[in-house]
Amino acid sequence: MSDARAVLDRFCAASHAADMDAMPGLFEWDVVTVEPAGGEMRGVDAFAGSLRIFNRAAPDAKLKVVRAIESGDTVVIEGTYTGTHRGPLASPQGEIPPSGRAFVLPYVDMFEVRDGRVATHHVYYHQMSFLGQLGLLPQPAAG
């Protein structure tokens, strides 16, 4: 296992434990994260804040790594993010009250690791699918 993959394994363990205090040891202070809901975030505090939003909304959430591909200092993870919407979810339009709905969200994370810490992080997931599973979008018409 590469050093980059070891950093990602520690990130997954910290995420499962909702250990936001571990993030500064895993991510560069000026890490750049890009993700569908928040766009570009700069800094480990911004990234940890984003994680707190999701942990508050789905305290039972888990990341499951389905496949990891490593190339040098880059690790790409395909996985699923699962949980239950039991807490308020902050959004640009205000807080979304808990729906009580479970979700299964496939995602892809791409991490570039330098000197044992994540320097860049890109997250890919289908935001409309996520919102639909929470009951926040109308279901498509049957065809």
Side-chain angles (χ1 to χ4, degrees):
M1 175 182 349
S2 71
D3 290 341
R5 177 61 195 267
V7 170
L8 275 295
D9 288 345
R10 291 195 308 274
F11 164 69
C12 287
S15 291
H16 285 186
D19 182 4
M20 297 304 106
D21 294 335
M23 296 307 147
L26 299 169
F27 289 79
E28 292 287 343
W29 69 271
D30 60 347
V31 64
V32 175
T33 299
V34 179
E35 66 96 33
E40 184 176 296
M41 294 177 273
R42 293 191 170 269
V44 68
D45 291 338
F47 175 66
S50 175
L51 288 179
R52 281 186 186 93
I53 289 169
F54 282 97
N55 287 341
R56 181 175 167 225
D60 65 340
K62 297 290 182 224
L63 297 172
K64 178 184 177 191
V65 175
V66 174
R67 176 184 358 211
I69 300 169
E70 303 171 56
S71 178
D73 291 337
T74 301
V75 178
V76 178
I77 293 177
E78 175 187 14
T80 55
Y81 177 65
T82 60
T84 310
H85 184 204
R86 293 190 172 127
L89 176 62
S91 80
Q93 292 76 32
E95 285 198 342
I96 299 166
S99 66
R101 292 178 179 229
F103 59 87
V104 177
L105 185 63
Y107 71 91
V108 172
D109 269 339
M110 185 173 72
F111 298 87
E112 181 184 351
V113 177
R114 277 183 266 165
D115 299 322
R117 293 182 186 203
V118 176
T120 62
H121 174 217
H122 291 236
V123 183
Y124 302 92
Y125 63 88
H126 195 278
Q127 191 173 9
M128 300 306 258
S129 172
F130 179 59
L131 295 174
Q133 289 181 61
L134 299 183
L136 301 172
L137 296 175
Q139 294 300 312

PDB file of all heavy atoms in Angstrom, residues 75-97:
ATOM      1  N   VAL A  75      -4.740   9.113  -5.497  1.00  0.00           N
ATOM      2  CA  VAL A  75      -5.609   7.978  -5.215  1.00  0.00           C
ATOM      3  C   VAL A  75      -7.022   8.373  -5.625  1.00  0.00           C
ATOM      4  O   VAL A  75      -7.501   9.458  -5.274  1.00  0.00           O
ATOM      5  CB  VAL A  75      -5.603   7.590  -3.718  1.00  0.00           C
ATOM      6  CG1 VAL A  75      -6.554   6.438  -3.452  1.00  0.00           C
ATOM      7  CG2 VAL A  75      -4.204   7.240  -3.249  1.00  0.00           C
ATOM      8  N   VAL A  76      -7.660   7.509  -6.401  1.00  0.00           N
ATOM      9  CA  VAL A  76      -9.053   7.706  -6.791  1.00  0.00           C
ATOM     10  C   VAL A  76      -9.861   6.599  -6.130  1.00  0.00           C
ATOM     11  O   VAL A  76      -9.516   5.421  -6.229  1.00  0.00           O
ATOM     12  CB  VAL A  76      -9.227   7.660  -8.325  1.00  0.00           C
ATOM     13  CG1 VAL A  76     -10.693   7.808  -8.704  1.00  0.00           C
ATOM     14  CG2 VAL A  76      -8.384   8.742  -8.980  1.00  0.00           C
ATOM     15  N   ILE A  77     -10.903   7.008  -5.433  1.00  0.00           N
ATOM     16  CA  ILE A  77     -11.751   6.048  -4.729  1.00  0.00           C
ATOM     17  C   ILE A  77     -13.154   6.107  -5.313  1.00  0.00           C
ATOM     18  O   ILE A  77     -13.732   7.186  -5.458  1.00  0.00           O
ATOM     19  CB  ILE A  77     -11.810   6.361  -3.220  1.00  0.00           C
ATOM     20  CG1 ILE A  77     -10.441   6.120  -2.590  1.00  0.00           C
ATOM     21  CG2 ILE A  77     -12.883   5.536  -2.529  1.00  0.00           C
ATOM     22  CD1 ILE A  77     -10.369   6.476  -1.130  1.00  0.00           C
ATOM     23  N   GLU A  78     -13.676   4.943  -5.645  1.00  0.00           N
ATOM     24  CA  GLU A  78     -15.082   4.791  -6.003  1.00  0.00           C
ATOM     25  C   GLU A  78     -15.749   4.173  -4.780  1.00  0.00           C
ATOM     26  O   GLU A  78     -15.236   3.211  -4.212  1.00  0.00           O
ATOM     27  CB  GLU A  78     -15.233   3.866  -7.200  1.00  0.00           C
ATOM     28  CG  GLU A  78     -16.672   3.583  -7.550  1.00  0.00           C
ATOM     29  CD  GLU A  78     -16.807   2.524  -8.634  1.00  0.00           C
ATOM     30  OE1 GLU A  78     -15.833   1.815  -8.931  1.00  0.00           O
ATOM     31  OE2 GLU A  78     -17.922   2.394  -9.149  1.00  0.00           O
ATOM     32  N   GLY A  79     -16.860   4.749  -4.365  1.00  0.00           N
ATOM     33  CA  GLY A  79     -17.500   4.214  -3.173  1.00  0.00           C
ATOM     34  C   GLY A  79     -18.965   4.572  -3.082  1.00  0.00           C
ATOM     35  O   GLY A  79     -19.557   5.101  -4.027  1.00  0.00           O
ATOM     36  N   THR A  80     -19.528   4.264  -1.938  1.00  0.00           N
ATOM     37  CA  THR A  80     -20.903   4.660  -1.633  1.00  0.00           C
ATOM     38  C   THR A  80     -20.915   5.370  -0.277  1.00  0.00           C
ATOM     39  O   THR A  80     -20.182   5.010   0.635  1.00  0.00           O
ATOM     40  CB  THR A  80     -21.872   3.458  -1.580  1.00  0.00           C
ATOM     41  OG1 THR A  80     -21.376   2.503  -0.653  1.00  0.00           O
ATOM     42  CG2 THR A  80     -22.045   2.832  -2.943  1.00  0.00           C
ATOM     43  N   TYR A  81     -21.729   6.392  -0.216  1.00  0.00           N
ATOM     44  CA  TYR A  81     -21.958   7.153   1.010  1.00  0.00           C
ATOM     45  C   TYR A  81     -23.396   6.842   1.402  1.00  0.00           C
ATOM     46  O   TYR A  81     -24.321   7.097   0.624  1.00  0.00           O
ATOM     47  CB  TYR A  81     -21.754   8.641   0.719  1.00  0.00           C
ATOM     48  CG  TYR A  81     -22.034   9.575   1.869  1.00  0.00           C
ATOM     49  CD1 TYR A  81     -21.258   9.547   3.021  1.00  0.00           C
ATOM     50  CD2 TYR A  81     -23.055  10.506   1.792  1.00  0.00           C
ATOM     51  CE1 TYR A  81     -21.500  10.434   4.058  1.00  0.00           C
ATOM     52  CE2 TYR A  81     -23.306  11.397   2.818  1.00  0.00           C
ATOM     53  CZ  TYR A  81     -22.519  11.358   3.947  1.00  0.00           C
ATOM     54  OH  TYR A  81     -22.772  12.232   4.982  1.00  0.00           O
ATOM     55  N   THR A  82     -23.580   6.227   2.554  1.00  0.00           N
ATOM     56  CA  THR A  82     -24.918   5.822   2.987  1.00  0.00           C
ATOM     57  C   THR A  82     -25.237   6.436   4.339  1.00  0.00           C
ATOM     58  O   THR A  82     -24.342   6.733   5.131  1.00  0.00           O
ATOM     59  CB  THR A  82     -25.035   4.294   3.100  1.00  0.00           C
ATOM     60  OG1 THR A  82     -24.074   3.838   4.064  1.00  0.00           O
ATOM     61  CG2 THR A  82     -24.786   3.612   1.764  1.00  0.00           C
ATOM     62  N   GLY A  83     -26.502   6.612   4.589  1.00  0.00           N
ATOM     63  CA  GLY A  83     -26.924   7.139   5.881  1.00  0.00           C
ATOM     64  C   GLY A  83     -28.410   7.413   5.889  1.00  0.00           C
ATOM     65  O   GLY A  83     -29.141   7.040   4.966  1.00  0.00           O
ATOM     66  N   THR A  84     -28.837   8.082   6.953  1.00  0.00           N
ATOM     67  CA  THR A  84     -30.237   8.452   7.129  1.00  0.00           C
ATOM     68  C   THR A  84     -30.302   9.929   7.481  1.00  0.00           C
ATOM     69  O   THR A  84     -29.588  10.384   8.378  1.00  0.00           O
ATOM     70  CB  THR A  84     -30.889   7.619   8.250  1.00  0.00           C
ATOM     71  OG1 THR A  84     -30.599   6.240   8.026  1.00  0.00           O
ATOM     72  CG2 THR A  84     -32.396   7.830   8.285  1.00  0.00           C
ATOM     73  N   HIS A  85     -31.149  10.668   6.791  1.00  0.00           N
ATOM     74  CA  HIS A  85     -31.287  12.109   7.008  1.00  0.00           C
ATOM     75  C   HIS A  85     -32.072  12.354   8.309  1.00  0.00           C
ATOM     76  O   HIS A  85     -33.284  12.488   8.292  1.00  0.00           O
ATOM     77  CB  HIS A  85     -31.988  12.725   5.794  1.00  0.00           C
ATOM     78  CG  HIS A  85     -32.109  14.204   5.861  1.00  0.00           C
ATOM     79  ND1 HIS A  85     -33.086  14.878   5.174  1.00  0.00           N
ATOM     80  CD2 HIS A  85     -31.391  15.149   6.506  1.00  0.00           C
ATOM     81  CE1 HIS A  85     -32.973  16.171   5.405  1.00  0.00           C
ATOM     82  NE2 HIS A  85     -31.945  16.363   6.213  1.00  0.00           N
ATOM     83  N   ARG A  86     -31.339  12.425   9.419  1.00  0.00           N
ATOM     84  CA  ARG A  86     -31.960  12.552  10.747  1.00  0.00           C
ATOM     85  C   ARG A  86     -31.765  13.921  11.390  1.00  0.00           C
ATOM     86  O   ARG A  86     -32.313  14.176  12.460  1.00  0.00           O
ATOM     87  CB  ARG A  86     -31.396  11.485  11.670  1.00  0.00           C
ATOM     88  CG  ARG A  86     -31.797  10.097  11.263  1.00  0.00           C
ATOM     89  CD  ARG A  86     -31.439   9.094  12.331  1.00  0.00           C
ATOM     90  NE  ARG A  86     -32.011   7.815  11.995  1.00  0.00           N
ATOM     91  CZ  ARG A  86     -31.321   6.686  11.940  1.00  0.00           C
ATOM     92  NH1 ARG A  86     -30.040   6.676  12.230  1.00  0.00           N
ATOM     93  NH2 ARG A  86     -31.918   5.568  11.608  1.00  0.00           N
ATOM     94  N   GLY A  87     -30.960  14.754  10.787  1.00  0.00           N
ATOM     95  CA  GLY A  87     -30.712  16.085  11.344  1.00  0.00           C
ATOM     96  C   GLY A  87     -30.855  17.132  10.265  1.00  0.00           C
ATOM     97  O   GLY A  87     -30.943  16.811   9.080  1.00  0.00           O
ATOM     98  N   PRO A  88     -30.878  18.404  10.660  1.00  0.00           N
ATOM     99  CA  PRO A  88     -31.013  19.457   9.654  1.00  0.00           C
ATOM    100  C   PRO A  88     -29.800  19.484   8.723  1.00  0.00           C
ATOM    101  O   PRO A  88     -28.672  19.253   9.149  1.00  0.00           O
ATOM    102  CB  PRO A  88     -31.106  20.740  10.481  1.00  0.00           C
ATOM    103  CG  PRO A  88     -30.607  20.392  11.831  1.00  0.00           C
ATOM    104  CD  PRO A  88     -30.755  18.920  12.018  1.00  0.00           C
ATOM    105  N   LEU A  89     -30.065  19.754   7.450  1.00  0.00           N
ATOM    106  CA  LEU A  89     -29.017  19.829   6.435  1.00  0.00           C
ATOM    107  C   LEU A  89     -28.920  21.271   5.971  1.00  0.00           C
ATOM    108  O   LEU A  89     -29.879  21.815   5.416  1.00  0.00           O
ATOM    109  CB  LEU A  89     -29.345  18.907   5.253  1.00  0.00           C
ATOM    110  CG  LEU A  89     -28.398  18.941   4.063  1.00  0.00           C
ATOM    111  CD1 LEU A  89     -26.990  18.509   4.464  1.00  0.00           C
ATOM    112  CD2 LEU A  89     -28.929  18.046   2.945  1.00  0.00           C
ATOM    113  N   ALA A  90     -27.792  21.908   6.238  1.00  0.00           N
ATOM    114  CA  ALA A  90     -27.594  23.296   5.820  1.00  0.00           C
ATOM    115  C   ALA A  90     -27.460  23.349   4.302  1.00  0.00           C
ATOM    116  O   ALA A  90     -26.826  22.494   3.694  1.00  0.00           O
ATOM    117  CB  ALA A  90     -26.356  23.867   6.486  1.00  0.00           C
ATOM    118  N   SER A  91     -28.082  24.355   3.708  1.00  0.00           N
ATOM    119  CA  SER A  91     -27.986  24.568   2.269  1.00  0.00           C
ATOM    120  C   SER A  91     -27.929  26.073   2.018  1.00  0.00           C
ATOM    121  O   SER A  91     -28.241  26.857   2.917  1.00  0.00           O
ATOM    122  CB  SER A  91     -29.197  23.948   1.552  1.00  0.00           C
ATOM    123  OG  SER A  91     -30.310  24.808   1.639  1.00  0.00           O
ATOM    124  N   PRO A  92     -27.565  26.494   0.811  1.00  0.00           N
ATOM    125  CA  PRO A  92     -27.549  27.931   0.521  1.00  0.00           C
ATOM    126  C   PRO A  92     -28.919  28.588   0.690  1.00  0.00           C
ATOM    127  O   PRO A  92     -29.011  29.783   0.938  1.00  0.00           O
ATOM    128  CB  PRO A  92     -27.100  27.995  -0.948  1.00  0.00           C
ATOM    129  CG  PRO A  92     -26.339  26.734  -1.160  1.00  0.00           C
ATOM    130  CD  PRO A  92     -27.018  25.704  -0.286  1.00  0.00           C
ATOM    131  N   GLN A  93     -29.998  27.792   0.582  1.00  0.00           N
ATOM    132  CA  GLN A  93     -31.348  28.333   0.732  1.00  0.00           C
ATOM    133  C   GLN A  93     -31.859  28.254   2.173  1.00  0.00           C
ATOM    134  O   GLN A  93     -32.998  28.594   2.448  1.00  0.00           O
ATOM    135  CB  GLN A  93     -32.326  27.584  -0.180  1.00  0.00           C
ATOM    136  CG  GLN A  93     -32.107  27.827  -1.662  1.00  0.00           C
ATOM    137  CD  GLN A  93     -30.909  27.067  -2.219  1.00  0.00           C
ATOM    138  OE1 GLN A  93     -30.581  25.981  -1.769  1.00  0.00           O
ATOM    139  NE2 GLN A  93     -30.243  27.661  -3.184  1.00  0.00           N
ATOM    140  N   GLY A  94     -31.037  27.793   3.093  1.00  0.00           N
ATOM    141  CA  GLY A  94     -31.447  27.633   4.487  1.00  0.00           C
ATOM    142  C   GLY A  94     -31.402  26.175   4.894  1.00  0.00           C
ATOM    143  O   GLY A  94     -31.023  25.302   4.109  1.00  0.00           O
ATOM    144  N   GLU A  95     -31.787  25.896   6.128  1.00  0.00           N
ATOM    145  CA  GLU A  95     -31.741  24.527   6.636  1.00  0.00           C
ATOM    146  C   GLU A  95     -32.890  23.689   6.105  1.00  0.00           C
ATOM    147  O   GLU A  95     -34.032  24.142   6.054  1.00  0.00           O
ATOM    148  CB  GLU A  95     -31.760  24.523   8.163  1.00  0.00           C
ATOM    149  CG  GLU A  95     -30.437  24.934   8.749  1.00  0.00           C
ATOM    150  CD  GLU A  95     -30.291  24.514  10.202  1.00  0.00           C
ATOM    151  OE1 GLU A  95     -31.293  24.203  10.873  1.00  0.00           O
ATOM    152  OE2 GLU A  95     -29.130  24.503  10.647  1.00  0.00           O
ATOM    153  N   ILE A  96     -32.547  22.466   5.731  1.00  0.00           N
ATOM    154  CA  ILE A  96     -33.543  21.503   5.265  1.00  0.00           C
ATOM    155  C   ILE A  96     -33.848  20.594   6.444  1.00  0.00           C
ATOM    156  O   ILE A  96     -32.943  19.949   6.981  1.00  0.00           O
ATOM    157  CB  ILE A  96     -32.987  20.679   4.084  1.00  0.00           C
ATOM    158  CG1 ILE A  96     -32.644  21.618   2.913  1.00  0.00           C
ATOM    159  CG2 ILE A  96     -33.959  19.590   3.678  1.00  0.00           C
ATOM    160  CD1 ILE A  96     -31.799  20.983   1.841  1.00  0.00           C
ATOM    161  N   PRO A  97     -35.093  20.544   6.895  1.00  0.00           N
ATOM    162  CA  PRO A  97     -35.414  19.712   8.062  1.00  0.00           C
ATOM    163  C   PRO A  97     -35.226  18.227   7.754  1.00  0.00           C
ATOM    164  O   PRO A  97     -35.306  17.798   6.598  1.00  0.00           O
ATOM    165  CB  PRO A  97     -36.879  20.027   8.352  1.00  0.00           C
ATOM    166  CG  PRO A  97     -37.406  20.708   7.145  1.00  0.00           C
ATOM    167  CD  PRO A  97     -36.253  21.238   6.361  1.00  0.00           C
TER     168      PRO A  97
END
